[in-house]
């Protein structure tokens, strides 16, 4: 493993990959669609991209976004420069639903492999050991229900290069 500090668009252009693994990262890469197309081009034949990300369809996450920013959209985060007073962009956060991410991956040339919702602990009871087995069973059950897209905190999706 080699760790590289740099612009993700420039770094990925320099080599080929068998696997691109992203854990809570795609929401911060802008524009995500261009990155996913570029990653597809850089995959070796049969290569895969695995994305684990926060669920943009979870109402609790959307409410938190509104409380933090005062608006419902996923937009640029800025802060004031102490010296100049100008607003400076420091992050773009854009969470996708699992369906949106599957659509973007398909448009970028991937076929879709495994997809699943993960972490349904909206109750945060998993912090207490006595509940952990019960919560794991509940999460497994929730993962098979239609409402899982609203209750899931995260999802995982695999795109397969063609």
């Amino acid at each position: 493993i080699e760790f590289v500090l740099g612009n993700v668009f420039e770094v990925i252009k320099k080599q080929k990959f068998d696997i691109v693994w992203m854990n809570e990262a795609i929401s911060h890469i802008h524009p995500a669609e261009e990155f996913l197309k570029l990653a597809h081009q850089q995959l070796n034949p049969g290569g895969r991209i695995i994305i684990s990300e926060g669920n943009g369809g979870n109402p609790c996450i959307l409410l938190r976004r509104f409380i933090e920013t005062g608006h419902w959209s996923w937009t640029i985060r800025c802060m004031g420069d102490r010296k100049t007073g100008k607003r400076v962009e420091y992050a773009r956060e854009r969470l996708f639903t699992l369906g949106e991410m599957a659509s973007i991956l398909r448009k970028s040339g991937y076929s879709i492999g495994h997809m699943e919702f993960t972490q349904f602990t909206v109750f945060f009871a998993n912090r207490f050991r006595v509940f952990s087995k019960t919560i794991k069973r509940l999460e497994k059950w929730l993962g098979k229900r239609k409402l899982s897209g609203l209750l899931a905190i995260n999802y995982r999706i695999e795109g397969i290069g063609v």
Side-chain angles (χ1 to χ4, degrees):
I1 296 175
E2 178 184 351
F3 293 92
V4 178
L5 176 62
N7 179 309
V8 69
F9 287 91
E10 296 304 317
V11 170
I12 203 166
K13 286 179 188 176
K14 296 179 181 176
Q15 55 190 329
K16 293 287 193 176
F17 300 92
D18 294 318
I19 295 176
V20 174
W21 176 52
M22 305 182 76
N23 188 27
E24 303 214 7
I26 196 68
S27 60
H28 302 286
I29 297 174
H30 183 75
E33 293 85 352
E34 285 184 32
F35 173 79
L36 293 170
K37 286 177 188 174
L38 178 60
H40 184 266
Q41 293 169 5
Q42 297 306 111
L43 283 176
N44 288 321
R48 298 167 191 272
I49 187 166
I50 300 167
I51 299 171
S52 179
E53 188 60 72
N55 178 15
N58 181 301
C60 295
I61 293 173
L62 295 172
L63 180 60
R64 190 186 88 213
R65 163 69 41 223
F66 182 77
I67 291 168
E68 287 178 1
T69 66
H71 53 81
W72 295 104
S73 62
W74 302 96
T75 60
I76 301 166
R77 289 191 179 217
C78 297
M79 59 188 288
D81 183 308
R82 291 182 184 165
K83 293 180 182 176
T84 66
K86 292 182 181 179
R87 288 173 43 112
V88 177
E89 178 182 324
Y90 70 92
R92 290 180 184 249
E93 187 173 38
R94 181 176 162 208
L95 289 180
F96 302 93
T97 66
L98 180 58
E100 289 169 335
M101 184 52 61
S103 176
I104 293 167
L105 286 170
R106 283 185 192 102
K107 287 177 185 173
S108 299
Y110 299 90
S111 64
I112 303 300
H114 184 76
M115 296 186 344
E116 68 179 329
F117 287 108
T118 59
Q119 291 187 318
F120 295 92
T121 51
V122 291
F123 319 105
F124 301 104
N126 64 337
R127 293 184 180 158
F128 305 101
R129 253 191 199 155
V130 70
F131 296 119
S132 64
K133 286 183 182 178
T134 303
I135 292 299
K136 285 181 183 174
R137 279 189 237 128
L138 178 61
E139 287 184 346
K140 188 174 183 178
W141 181 82
L142 282 170
K144 297 175 182 173
R145 303 299 175 259
K146 289 187 177 188
L147 287 177
S148 61
L150 292 175
L151 299 175
I153 295 172
N154 292 58
Y155 62 81
R156 188 171 20 255
I157 186 168
E158 175 187 39
I160 304 167
V162 182

